Amino acid sequence: MEITQTQYEQIADCLPTQRGNVSLSNLDVLNAILYVAEQGCKWRGLPKRFGNWHTIYTRMNRWSKSGVLDRLFQKLQQSQIVRIRIEAVSLDSTMVKVHPDGTGALKKTARKPSGSPAEAGQPRFIWLSRMLERQ
């Protein structure tokens, strides 16, 4: 799913104008974003033909925060260049930190000895030294 130059000219008004020394054109960045959306790959998994993945991600993130991506995908669908419909968003468990109690690990049950026996409460067991002497 790549956009040609003639298709890009139909939606170019949705994208901000490029200023300064820019290594990637908006068309290249847009094709890279569409590649990630279609393939479901990580940003680091972008083929080298698209350019530096970090540059593309940074520009995509900036466009997303400023609302450019929303207008862009709406225009892409209205002009029937690309048909994309996002219905669900999922999170990978590697993104969310979980409390150690929520991981299924065994909880620590040993109590720390305190300085005073009154704070420790009743003992949990009674030590009988005679039981060790029995055979």
Side-chain angles (χ1 to χ4, degrees):
M1 174 169 42
E2 286 195 16
I3 294 178
T4 63
Q5 184 65 36
T6 57
Q7 291 172 330
Y8 174 74
E9 290 170 2
Q10 295 176 10
I11 58 163
D13 58 330
C14 293
L15 296 170
T17 56
Q18 293 184 308
R19 295 171 288 171
N21 187 11
V22 181
S23 61
L24 295 172
S25 68
N26 283 341
L27 177 60
D28 295 335
V29 173
L30 180 59
N31 282 331
I33 292 170
L34 290 174
Y35 181 86
V36 170
E38 182 182 24
Q39 301 297 323
C41 68
K42 296 179 180 180
W43 288 106
R44 292 179 190 260
L46 270 173
K48 296 290 181 189
R49 65 186 169 101
F50 289 114
N52 185 2
W53 70 269
H54 193 266
T55 304
I56 295 167
Y57 172 76
T58 304
R59 196 176 308 179
M60 184 278 312
N61 195 19
R62 199 175 335 126
W63 286 355
S64 177
K65 288 179 181 178
S66 64
V68 171
L69 277 184
D70 293 333
R71 291 190 305 270
L72 177 68
F73 282 116
Q74 186 176 13
K75 182 84 172 201
L76 282 171
Q77 289 180 358
Q78 284 175 353
S79 59
Q80 295 187 353
I81 296 172
V82 175
R83 294 182 188 154
I84 296 176
R85 183 174 179 166
I86 299 173
E87 294 181 357
V89 176
S90 64
L91 292 176
D92 186 3
S93 63
T94 58
M95 295 181 198
V96 181
K97 282 194 170 190
V98 177
H99 192 273
D101 292 343
T103 61
L106 296 174
K107 295 181 181 177
K108 294 180 183 177
T109 57
R111 296 177 70 184
K112 294 181 181 177
S114 63
S116 67
E119 287 181 26
Q122 292 186 357
R124 293 180 181 238
F125 61 90
I126 299 174
W127 183 263
L128 298 175
S129 57
R130 293 182 190 170
M131 292 179 72
L132 296 176
E133 295 173 4
R134 259 195 216 168
Q135 293 291 336

